Amino acid sequence: MTMNPAYDMTYRVERFERGQAHRVRSVEQRIGGKGINVTRVLNQLGKYARATGFSDHAFAAAAELELPVDFVHALPWVRRTVVISESEDGTATALWEPGARVSNPHAAEQLAVRVAGLLPDIAGLVISGSLPGGIDPSLPAEIARTAIAADVPTICDVDGEALRLAAQVPGIVLTPNESEFQRLTGAEPTTADDIVSAVQPLIAHGVRAVIATRGLEGITAVTAGGAWSAALAEPLAGNPTGAGDAAVAAVIAALSSASRTDWPALLSDAVATSAAAVVVPVAGEIDRGMRTRLTPTVRIRELDLPAPQEAAS
């Protein structure tokens, strides 16, 4: 589910200089947004996935050419994300538009009803990305609560107030990056063990798992029953845009496929899938051969959970 989708634009120039006119060497445009990226990767993993959320008619029509979609047409227009990529040294400058404001007062209810109608036929739900103006930050939590009540594993990959409210939903899986983690917990962890300590109040209040993506440091996952850190032996260089979305796709694929979760195996796959996205120049795509080769090389370390009295304090 992507509530604030985007057209992803990439301008390629030799070298970008502020205040100067530039001749663009090439332009790429594709439909985007975090949930769109997750949907693409899931389909590459052999998991039939459908994209939903808000859009306008033109974006929905473009998306239908590539993916199964079921959007609520509530946006007056769809924003753009612009990346200026320099061929000289690979530097990328990104400009993120905020997106249009939803003016339809019934849009949130329509999306909630749309997702509720899908629940009997789906095995997992991912709610990803920012919210457009006019949408209350409680909407992801409300939809997640409905999905979990229907026994559908649900991930919320959101930020700010929406993430804080989602963290109050029992059974939810959260996948914050480093900055989102800091805003959610108020902590600035430097190690995987710090992450384990910082999320104990969330786990105690019913969060099923916190899966913190840490860039080159890999992924740390914490549940009530255990905690693990996973990383490649040597990080790969490339385009990190969409790597977190690829990891989320791997996580929901695993959660939706088994009644009992093998967390070390899940994390190995998530790290390898994320890395397989880094080596591809566009978001929402993975190198499947690379993923297969990397999965058995991921290093997993089991972490200690705090003693009960420590967690309570």
Side-chain angles (χ1 to χ4, degrees), residues 7 31 40 57-69 71:
Y7 292 104
I31 61 167
R40 281 196 180 105
H57 290 277
F59 186 92
E64 282 179 355
L65 299 176
E66 180 185 350
L67 301 166
V69 300
F71 286 109

Side-chain angles (χ1 to χ4, degrees), residues 294-308:
L294 288 176
T295 300
T297 73
V298 175
R299 295 179 174 179
I300 302 290
R301 180 167 67 96
E302 187 165 6
L303 306 171
D304 292 330
L305 292 176

Side-chain angles (χ1 to χ4, degrees), residues 190-205:
T190 58
T191 68
D193 291 311
D194 292 341
I195 290 174
V196 174
S197 297
V199 302
Q200 289 309 305
L202 301 176
I203 300 298
H205 284 87

Side-chain angles (χ1 to χ4, degrees), residues 200-219:
Q200 289 309 305
L202 301 176
I203 300 298
H205 284 87
V207 170
R208 178 180 179 184
V210 176
I211 303 173
T213 56
R214 306 175 61 211
L216 297 179
E217 299 297 323
I219 296 175

Side-chain angles (χ1 to χ4, degrees), residues 103-167:
S103 56
N104 177 358
H106 305 294
E109 180 183 359
Q110 290 170 353
L111 182 57
V113 170
R114 183 75 52 90
V115 175
L118 296 172
L119 293 178
D121 300 316
I122 65 176
L125 174 66
V126 175
I127 303 170
S128 288
S130 60
L131 276 61
I135 296 300
D136 193 280
S138 64
L139 182 60
E142 292 171 5
I143 292 177
R145 198 180 300 274
T146 301
I148 292 169
D151 292 326
V152 175
T154 301
I155 294 174
C156 267
D157 187 15
V158 294
D159 194 8
E161 181 67 3
L163 178 57
R164 187 188 71 80
L165 294 171

Side-chain angles (χ1 to χ4, degrees), residues 240-271:
T241 305
D245 301 328
V248 169
V251 172
I252 197 63
L255 294 179
S256 64
S257 300
S259 57
R260 185 176 182 277
T261 303
D262 182 341
W263 286 99
L266 179 153
L267 291 175
S268 294
D269 187 31
V271 168

